[in-house]
Amino acid sequence: MSILVVGLNHKSAPVDIREKLAFNNNSVSNALSLFSQKYPSSEAVILSTCNRVEMYASSASDAVKLEDILSFLAEFHKIEKNEFSQYMYHYKDDRAVMHLFHVSSSIDSMVIGESQILSQVKEAYTLASMEQSTGKILNQLFQQALNISKTIHTNTSIGQGKVSISSVAVEFAEKIFQDFAGKMVLVVGAGEMCELLLKHLYEEGARTIIVANRTFERAQAIADAFQGEAIKYELLGDYLSKADIIITSTSAPHYVIHSDQVKDAIKHRRGNPMFLIDIAVPRDIEPSVGNIDNVYLYNIDDLQSVVNQNLDDRTREIEKCRAIIEKEVEHFMAKLEQIKIEPAITLLRNSFHTIGKDELSRLKPKLRNINDEEWNQVVYTMERTLNKLLHHPAKIAKQEARNGGGYRYVETIKKLFGVFHHHSSEDSNKNSPAS
């Protein structure tokens, strides 16, 4: 019984390769169904995000190997293996378990500590469960991965501190304004970063949005996306005193907002602060604006330095996360060893009880004067005796499994008692509920 993961991610493959292997929910369902048909005794989960595509499989006696999964992916996506195989990584057993725990805990993410991956792992597992492509092994593995992620985010600082320019800017704004309801946001320019920042503010409750851009149609498009109002660029000065938050992101080679303009605007604001975010390079806002009382100015470097500091803080937490994961991998592998020996223990128990039933069936005709109550006592005594005989070997087998020697112990027991598995050990827990 083994666990195998085969995949690629943002570190191992460029986006054009990741795109070729990407799945959506419908194609994941189809792929899992086809995989189960081809390998009916194997379990599978497919995790597909914008940064990674991974297939997890568990099977008895290495029934599914690396080449099988590569061939399956190539066939499903109708591409040649040599187009992607050199970008793939693969891990087996404890290394596969450790990899999933790293992924679910977001220490393998492009942005360390991001929270989205946890919901993506959960969605991948839920979809596989619905398709009945998971069984006892992957059920336990993915449930453990989800639990570990929560433990790590609770007990470390891996997810603390904003790590995008736009989220840091909003965090700064929140220190000045308790909320954004009723606050006017003035956007000057129409860059992608500007739009992303506006999206964050809108999500946090900003609803009065004014957009100015030299191309009015572009200003109108952004304003419409956030239920705002577009104005002609020439009217910018008329709105400065009304705006609580000003975001600039133009491609102008000179300042578009000057210190004198802001000094004049702040006089009309009756003590209400102004918050300005200049994410343009070269800068749009004259730096001396930041010296004006009750005016708060941040440029792209200010925001980036906070992002870098927060990323450094998260990176320092990685070793703490790895230590937690290492212990959890050991715990899971011990549990897996116990799962592996369960079929053999069941086989031993069934073998003993079959012998007992055979002996009872030979005994009963010889005891002609025995009544039903007396016979039930004989049956009960036989079953009780067998269970007592089996209890200690089963207990020791589980202890040996926790220490990594369960397989050898079970094989010895099977030889001693002449018990042999006549079925493929894939009678295997497929689709059985997690314990």
Side-chain angles (χ1 to χ4, degrees), residues 361-393:
S361 64
R362 278 193 284 272
L363 174 64
K364 192 171 185 181
K366 298 174 183 178
L367 303 176
R368 294 174 184 171
N369 297 324
I370 196 169
N371 60 40
D372 288 345
E373 186 178 344
E374 291 169 332
W375 177 247
N376 289 337
Q377 282 297 316
V378 172
V379 172
Y380 172 76
T381 301
M382 171 71 84
E383 290 178 349
R384 183 178 169 84
T385 302
L386 292 174
N387 287 333
K388 281 188 171 183
L389 289 170
L390 287 162
H391 174 74
H392 190 67

mmCIF file of all heavy atoms in Angstrom, residues 361-393:
data_model
loop_
_atom_site.group_PDB
_atom_site.id
_atom_site.type_symbol
_atom_site.label_atom_id
_atom_site.label_comp_id
_atom_site.label_asym_id
_atom_site.label_seq_id
_atom_site.Cartn_x
_atom_site.Cartn_y
_atom_site.Cartn_z
ATOM 1 N N SER A 361 -19.441 -27.502 13.669
ATOM 2 C CA SER A 361 -20.373 -28.223 12.793
ATOM 3 C C SER A 361 -20.125 -29.736 12.849
ATOM 4 O O SER A 361 -21.040 -30.541 12.661
ATOM 5 C CB SER A 361 -20.243 -27.717 11.344
ATOM 6 O OG SER A 361 -18.960 -28.010 10.828
ATOM 7 N N ARG A 362 -18.866 -30.134 13.135
ATOM 8 C CA ARG A 362 -18.580 -31.558 13.286
ATOM 9 C C ARG A 362 -18.992 -32.062 14.664
ATOM 10 O O ARG A 362 -19.332 -33.229 14.843
ATOM 11 C CB ARG A 362 -17.077 -31.808 13.066
ATOM 12 C CG ARG A 362 -16.678 -31.903 11.601
ATOM 13 C CD ARG A 362 -15.277 -32.460 11.436
ATOM 14 N NE ARG A 362 -14.257 -31.467 11.760
ATOM 15 C CZ ARG A 362 -13.758 -30.602 10.872
ATOM 16 N NH1 ARG A 362 -14.198 -30.631 9.622
ATOM 17 N NH2 ARG A 362 -12.846 -29.725 11.237
ATOM 18 N N LEU A 363 -18.939 -31.155 15.646
ATOM 19 C CA LEU A 363 -19.244 -31.558 17.021
ATOM 20 C C LEU A 363 -20.748 -31.733 17.248
ATOM 21 O O LEU A 363 -21.174 -32.678 17.944
ATOM 22 C CB LEU A 363 -18.689 -30.498 17.986
ATOM 23 C CG LEU A 363 -19.017 -30.662 19.469
ATOM 24 C CD1 LEU A 363 -18.389 -31.952 20.015
ATOM 25 C CD2 LEU A 363 -18.544 -29.451 20.262
ATOM 26 N N LYS A 364 -21.551 -30.877 16.678
ATOM 27 C CA LYS A 364 -22.976 -30.844 17.021
ATOM 28 C C LYS A 364 -23.696 -32.174 16.803
ATOM 29 O O LYS A 364 -24.480 -32.617 17.669
ATOM 30 C CB LYS A 364 -23.678 -29.721 16.262
ATOM 31 C CG LYS A 364 -25.091 -29.456 16.796
ATOM 32 C CD LYS A 364 -25.703 -28.209 16.186
ATOM 33 C CE LYS A 364 -27.046 -27.922 16.851
ATOM 34 N NZ LYS A 364 -27.704 -26.731 16.275
ATOM 35 N N PRO A 365 -23.469 -32.876 15.657
ATOM 36 C CA PRO A 365 -24.176 -34.154 15.461
ATOM 37 C C PRO A 365 -23.847 -35.202 16.530
ATOM 38 O O PRO A 365 -24.626 -36.119 16.782
ATOM 39 C CB PRO A 365 -23.696 -34.618 14.079
ATOM 40 C CG PRO A 365 -23.223 -33.374 13.402
ATOM 41 C CD PRO A 365 -22.660 -32.522 14.490
ATOM 42 N N LYS A 366 -22.676 -35.049 17.162
ATOM 43 C CA LYS A 366 -22.286 -36.026 18.173
ATOM 44 C C LYS A 366 -22.942 -35.766 19.529
ATOM 45 O O LYS A 366 -22.960 -36.635 20.391
ATOM 46 C CB LYS A 366 -20.753 -36.015 18.333
ATOM 47 C CG LYS A 366 -20.006 -36.404 17.056
ATOM 48 C CD LYS A 366 -18.502 -36.238 17.241
ATOM 49 C CE LYS A 366 -17.775 -36.565 15.923
ATOM 50 N NZ LYS A 366 -16.324 -36.363 16.057
ATOM 51 N N LEU A 367 -23.442 -34.555 19.725
ATOM 52 C CA LEU A 367 -24.075 -34.193 20.997
ATOM 53 C C LEU A 367 -25.590 -34.203 20.819
ATOM 54 O O LEU A 367 -26.249 -33.166 20.775
ATOM 55 C CB LEU A 367 -23.587 -32.801 21.453
ATOM 56 C CG LEU A 367 -22.074 -32.641 21.608
ATOM 57 C CD1 LEU A 367 -21.722 -31.203 21.971
ATOM 58 C CD2 LEU A 367 -21.530 -33.597 22.659
ATOM 59 N N ARG A 368 -26.170 -35.413 20.699
ATOM 60 C CA ARG A 368 -27.581 -35.529 20.325
ATOM 61 C C ARG A 368 -28.541 -35.048 21.407
ATOM 62 O O ARG A 368 -29.647 -34.614 21.117
ATOM 63 C CB ARG A 368 -27.893 -36.993 19.979
ATOM 64 C CG ARG A 368 -27.138 -37.438 18.720
ATOM 65 C CD ARG A 368 -27.322 -38.905 18.446
ATOM 66 N NE ARG A 368 -26.521 -39.316 17.302
ATOM 67 C CZ ARG A 368 -26.355 -40.565 16.941
ATOM 68 N NH1 ARG A 368 -26.919 -41.544 17.658
ATOM 69 N NH2 ARG A 368 -25.624 -40.873 15.885
ATOM 70 N N ASN A 369 -28.132 -35.138 22.663
ATOM 71 C CA ASN A 369 -29.053 -34.797 23.752
ATOM 72 C C ASN A 369 -28.932 -33.341 24.208
ATOM 73 O O ASN A 369 -29.572 -32.939 25.171
ATOM 74 C CB ASN A 369 -28.805 -35.719 24.950
ATOM 75 C CG ASN A 369 -29.088 -37.171 24.591
ATOM 76 O OD1 ASN A 369 -30.015 -37.450 23.826
ATOM 77 N ND2 ASN A 369 -28.292 -38.095 25.133
ATOM 78 N N ILE A 370 -28.102 -32.529 23.515
ATOM 79 C CA ILE A 370 -27.897 -31.143 23.937
ATOM 80 C C ILE A 370 -29.069 -30.269 23.482
ATOM 81 O O ILE A 370 -29.580 -30.418 22.356
ATOM 82 C CB ILE A 370 -26.556 -30.616 23.383
ATOM 83 C CG1 ILE A 370 -26.144 -29.327 24.121
ATOM 84 C CG2 ILE A 370 -26.633 -30.368 21.880
ATOM 85 C CD1 ILE A 370 -24.712 -28.907 23.821
ATOM 86 N N ASN A 371 -29.541 -29.402 24.383
ATOM 87 C CA ASN A 371 -30.634 -28.509 23.982
ATOM 88 C C ASN A 371 -30.060 -27.199 23.420
ATOM 89 O O ASN A 371 -28.841 -26.957 23.457
ATOM 90 C CB ASN A 371 -31.583 -28.228 25.147
ATOM 91 C CG ASN A 371 -30.898 -27.563 26.328
ATOM 92 O OD1 ASN A 371 -30.050 -26.696 26.153
ATOM 93 N ND2 ASN A 371 -31.267 -27.977 27.548
ATOM 94 N N ASP A 372 -30.944 -26.314 22.913
ATOM 95 C CA ASP A 372 -30.499 -25.085 22.243
ATOM 96 C C ASP A 372 -29.719 -24.174 23.171
ATOM 97 O O ASP A 372 -28.690 -23.588 22.784
ATOM 98 C CB ASP A 372 -31.699 -24.315 21.675
ATOM 99 C CG ASP A 372 -32.287 -25.019 20.464
ATOM 100 O OD1 ASP A 372 -31.600 -25.913 19.912
ATOM 101 O OD2 ASP A 372 -33.411 -24.666 20.061
ATOM 102 N N GLU A 373 -30.177 -24.046 24.406
ATOM 103 C CA GLU A 373 -29.502 -23.152 25.344
ATOM 104 C C GLU A 373 -28.091 -23.640 25.646
ATOM 105 O O GLU A 373 -27.129 -22.859 25.689
ATOM 106 C CB GLU A 373 -30.301 -23.052 26.648
ATOM 107 C CG GLU A 373 -29.722 -22.027 27.622
ATOM 108 C CD GLU A 373 -30.553 -21.887 28.892
ATOM 109 O OE1 GLU A 373 -31.714 -22.339 28.886
ATOM 110 O OE2 GLU A 373 -30.026 -21.336 29.861
ATOM 111 N N GLU A 374 -27.966 -24.968 25.824
ATOM 112 C CA GLU A 374 -26.645 -25.542 26.088
ATOM 113 C C GLU A 374 -25.728 -25.384 24.868
ATOM 114 O O GLU A 374 -24.533 -25.090 25.004
ATOM 115 C CB GLU A 374 -26.785 -27.016 26.469
ATOM 116 C CG GLU A 374 -27.446 -27.226 27.829
ATOM 117 C CD GLU A 374 -27.823 -28.680 28.073
ATOM 118 O OE1 GLU A 374 -28.075 -29.413 27.076
ATOM 119 O OE2 GLU A 374 -27.880 -29.077 29.254
ATOM 120 N N TRP A 375 -26.301 -25.583 23.665
ATOM 121 C CA TRP A 375 -25.504 -25.440 22.432
ATOM 122 C C TRP A 375 -25.016 -23.992 22.261
ATOM 123 O O TRP A 375 -23.865 -23.743 21.876
ATOM 124 C CB TRP A 375 -26.304 -25.880 21.219
ATOM 125 C CG TRP A 375 -25.531 -25.671 19.933
ATOM 126 C CD1 TRP A 375 -25.801 -24.799 18.935
ATOM 127 C CD2 TRP A 375 -24.343 -26.357 19.553
ATOM 128 N NE1 TRP A 375 -24.860 -24.887 17.948
ATOM 129 C CE2 TRP A 375 -23.940 -25.847 18.300
ATOM 130 C CE3 TRP A 375 -23.567 -27.359 20.150
ATOM 131 C CZ2 TRP A 375 -22.817 -26.288 17.634
ATOM 132 C CZ3 TRP A 375 -22.439 -27.816 19.484
ATOM 133 C CH2 TRP A 375 -22.072 -27.271 18.221
ATOM 134 N N ASN A 376 -25.886 -23.026 22.565
ATOM 135 C CA ASN A 376 -25.486 -21.621 22.472
ATOM 136 C C ASN A 376 -24.323 -21.320 23.406
ATOM 137 O O ASN A 376 -23.446 -20.508 23.095
ATOM 138 C CB ASN A 376 -26.665 -20.697 22.785
ATOM 139 C CG ASN A 376 -27.697 -20.706 21.668
ATOM 140 O OD1 ASN A 376 -27.381 -21.037 20.531
ATOM 141 N ND2 ASN A 376 -28.925 -20.333 21.988
ATOM 142 N N GLN A 377 -24.306 -21.967 24.567
ATOM 143 C CA GLN A 377 -23.199 -21.783 25.499
ATOM 144 C C GLN A 377 -21.897 -22.337 24.927
ATOM 145 O O GLN A 377 -20.823 -21.755 25.105
ATOM 146 C CB GLN A 377 -23.518 -22.465 26.834
ATOM 147 C CG GLN A 377 -24.471 -21.697 27.729
ATOM 148 C CD GLN A 377 -23.896 -20.350 28.150
ATOM 149 O OE1 GLN A 377 -22.729 -20.241 28.519
ATOM 150 N NE2 GLN A 377 -24.726 -19.311 28.056
ATOM 151 N N VAL A 378 -21.984 -23.472 24.223
ATOM 152 C CA VAL A 378 -20.799 -24.054 23.582
ATOM 153 C C VAL A 378 -20.263 -23.105 22.511
ATOM 154 O O VAL A 378 -19.055 -22.828 22.430
ATOM 155 C CB VAL A 378 -21.138 -25.430 22.956
ATOM 156 C CG1 VAL A 378 -19.952 -25.934 22.114
ATOM 157 C CG2 VAL A 378 -21.491 -26.447 24.040
ATOM 158 N N VAL A 379 -21.175 -22.567 21.662
ATOM 159 C CA VAL A 379 -20.778 -21.632 20.591
ATOM 160 C C VAL A 379 -20.137 -20.384 21.198
ATOM 161 O O VAL A 379 -19.075 -19.919 20.752
ATOM 162 C CB VAL A 379 -22.001 -21.253 19.718
ATOM 163 C CG1 VAL A 379 -21.626 -20.141 18.728
ATOM 164 C CG2 VAL A 379 -22.530 -22.471 18.982
ATOM 165 N N TYR A 380 -20.779 -19.844 22.236
ATOM 166 C CA TYR A 380 -20.272 -18.634 22.898
ATOM 167 C C TYR A 380 -18.878 -18.873 23.473
ATOM 168 O O TYR A 380 -17.980 -18.039 23.345
ATOM 169 C CB TYR A 380 -21.248 -18.204 24.000
ATOM 170 C CG TYR A 380 -20.725 -17.078 24.865
ATOM 171 C CD1 TYR A 380 -20.715 -15.770 24.396
ATOM 172 C CD2 TYR A 380 -20.225 -17.337 26.150
ATOM 173 C CE1 TYR A 380 -20.219 -14.742 25.177
ATOM 174 C CE2 TYR A 380 -19.725 -16.310 26.938
ATOM 175 C CZ TYR A 380 -19.724 -15.013 26.452
ATOM 176 O OH TYR A 380 -19.235 -13.995 27.232
ATOM 177 N N THR A 381 -18.678 -20.016 24.100
ATOM 178 C CA THR A 381 -17.379 -20.340 24.705
ATOM 179 C C THR A 381 -16.303 -20.459 23.637
ATOM 180 O O THR A 381 -15.172 -19.978 23.815
ATOM 181 C CB THR A 381 -17.471 -21.648 25.516
ATOM 182 O OG1 THR A 381 -18.466 -21.477 26.535
ATOM 183 C CG2 THR A 381 -16.131 -22.004 26.147
ATOM 184 N N MET A 382 -16.675 -21.097 22.499
ATOM 185 C CA MET A 382 -15.716 -21.218 21.397
ATOM 186 C C MET A 382 -15.303 -19.830 20.883
ATOM 187 O O MET A 382 -14.112 -19.531 20.726
ATOM 188 C CB MET A 382 -16.326 -22.037 20.255
ATOM 189 C CG MET A 382 -15.482 -22.036 18.980
ATOM 190 S SD MET A 382 -13.958 -22.984 19.137
ATOM 191 C CE MET A 382 -14.574 -24.620 18.785
ATOM 192 N N GLU A 383 -16.283 -18.959 20.623
ATOM 193 C CA GLU A 383 -15.987 -17.623 20.086
ATOM 194 C C GLU A 383 -15.173 -16.795 21.089
ATOM 195 O O GLU A 383 -14.238 -16.076 20.707
ATOM 196 C CB GLU A 383 -17.289 -16.898 19.734
ATOM 197 C CG GLU A 383 -17.976 -17.512 18.512
ATOM 198 C CD GLU A 383 -19.294 -16.832 18.188
ATOM 199 O OE1 GLU A 383 -19.776 -16.032 19.023
ATOM 200 O OE2 GLU A 383 -19.822 -17.091 17.090
ATOM 201 N N ARG A 384 -15.522 -16.897 22.353
ATOM 202 C CA ARG A 384 -14.810 -16.165 23.404
ATOM 203 C C ARG A 384 -13.349 -16.631 23.485
ATOM 204 O O ARG A 384 -12.429 -15.821 23.627
ATOM 205 C CB ARG A 384 -15.528 -16.379 24.734
ATOM 206 C CG ARG A 384 -14.950 -15.620 25.914
ATOM 207 C CD ARG A 384 -15.808 -15.888 27.153
ATOM 208 N NE ARG A 384 -15.164 -15.413 28.358
ATOM 209 C CZ ARG A 384 -15.214 -14.158 28.804
ATOM 210 N NH1 ARG A 384 -15.903 -13.260 28.124
ATOM 211 N NH2 ARG A 384 -14.595 -13.795 29.913
ATOM 212 N N THR A 385 -13.144 -17.932 23.376
ATOM 213 C CA THR A 385 -11.793 -18.491 23.421
ATOM 214 C C THR A 385 -10.963 -17.999 22.235
ATOM 215 O O THR A 385 -9.809 -17.581 22.388
ATOM 216 C CB THR A 385 -11.850 -20.039 23.414
ATOM 217 O OG1 THR A 385 -12.619 -20.474 24.539
ATOM 218 C CG2 THR A 385 -10.444 -20.637 23.478
ATOM 219 N N LEU A 386 -11.570 -18.032 21.053
ATOM 220 C CA LEU A 386 -10.855 -17.572 19.851
ATOM 221 C C LEU A 386 -10.493 -16.090 19.960
ATOM 222 O O LEU A 386 -9.382 -15.677 19.601
ATOM 223 C CB LEU A 386 -11.704 -17.820 18.600
ATOM 224 C CG LEU A 386 -11.928 -19.290 18.218
ATOM 225 C CD1 LEU A 386 -12.900 -19.389 17.046
ATOM 226 C CD2 LEU A 386 -10.604 -19.955 17.857
ATOM 227 N N ASN A 387 -11.433 -15.291 20.434
ATOM 228 C CA ASN A 387 -11.172 -13.851 20.577
ATOM 229 C C ASN A 387 -10.048 -13.585 21.575
ATOM 230 O O ASN A 387 -9.222 -12.691 21.375
ATOM 231 C CB ASN A 387 -12.440 -13.106 20.999
ATOM 232 C CG ASN A 387 -13.436 -12.997 19.856
ATOM 233 O OD1 ASN A 387 -13.045 -13.000 18.686
ATOM 234 N ND2 ASN A 387 -14.710 -12.893 20.178
ATOM 235 N N LYS A 388 -10.016 -14.367 22.659
ATOM 236 C CA LYS A 388 -8.944 -14.217 23.633
ATOM 237 C C LYS A 388 -7.598 -14.597 23.036
ATOM 238 O O LYS A 388 -6.576 -13.946 23.276
ATOM 239 C CB LYS A 388 -9.223 -15.082 24.867
ATOM 240 C CG LYS A 388 -10.239 -14.462 25.823
ATOM 241 C CD LYS A 388 -10.327 -15.280 27.119
ATOM 242 C CE LYS A 388 -11.164 -14.541 28.155
ATOM 243 N NZ LYS A 388 -11.195 -15.269 29.436
ATOM 244 N N LEU A 389 -7.581 -15.670 22.240
ATOM 245 C CA LEU A 389 -6.348 -16.102 21.590
ATOM 246 C C LEU A 389 -5.846 -15.054 20.589
ATOM 247 O O LEU A 389 -4.639 -14.864 20.425
ATOM 248 C CB LEU A 389 -6.563 -17.444 20.881
ATOM 249 C CG LEU A 389 -6.728 -18.674 21.779
ATOM 250 C CD1 LEU A 389 -7.185 -19.870 20.948
ATOM 251 C CD2 LEU A 389 -5.413 -18.984 22.499
ATOM 252 N N LEU A 390 -6.793 -14.376 19.932
ATOM 253 C CA LEU A 390 -6.437 -13.400 18.898
ATOM 254 C C LEU A 390 -6.082 -12.031 19.474
ATOM 255 O O LEU A 390 -5.383 -11.248 18.818
ATOM 256 C CB LEU A 390 -7.608 -13.226 17.919
ATOM 257 C CG LEU A 390 -7.834 -14.394 16.955
ATOM 258 C CD1 LEU A 390 -9.233 -14.321 16.354
ATOM 259 C CD2 LEU A 390 -6.775 -14.378 15.854
ATOM 260 N N HIS A 391 -6.556 -11.740 20.660
ATOM 261 C CA HIS A 391 -6.402 -10.392 21.214
ATOM 262 C C HIS A 391 -4.935 -9.979 21.331
ATOM 263 O O HIS A 391 -4.552 -8.888 20.874
ATOM 264 C CB HIS A 391 -7.074 -10.320 22.601
ATOM 265 C CG HIS A 391 -6.840 -9.004 23.284
ATOM 266 N ND1 HIS A 391 -7.478 -7.844 22.891
ATOM 267 C CD2 HIS A 391 -6.024 -8.661 24.326
ATOM 268 C CE1 HIS A 391 -7.070 -6.851 23.660
ATOM 269 N NE2 HIS A 391 -6.190 -7.315 24.537
ATOM 270 N N HIS A 392 -4.101 -10.832 21.902
ATOM 271 C CA HIS A 392 -2.714 -10.456 22.122
ATOM 272 C C HIS A 392 -1.935 -10.291 20.804
ATOM 273 O O HIS A 392 -1.224 -9.284 20.642
ATOM 274 C CB HIS A 392 -2.021 -11.472 23.035
ATOM 275 C CG HIS A 392 -0.671 -11.010 23.496
ATOM 276 N ND1 HIS A 392 -0.499 -9.943 24.346
ATOM 277 C CD2 HIS A 392 0.581 -11.474 23.190
ATOM 278 C CE1 HIS A 392 0.794 -9.756 24.555
ATOM 279 N NE2 HIS A 392 1.463 -10.677 23.876
ATOM 280 N N PRO A 393 -2.034 -11.269 19.850
ATOM 281 C CA PRO A 393 -1.332 -11.062 18.569
ATOM 282 C C PRO A 393 -1.760 -9.762 17.863
ATOM 283 O O PRO A 393 -0.926 -9.064 17.284
ATOM 284 C CB PRO A 393 -1.731 -12.289 17.736
ATOM 285 C CG PRO A 393 -2.072 -13.326 18.749
ATOM 286 C CD PRO A 393 -2.678 -12.609 19.902
#
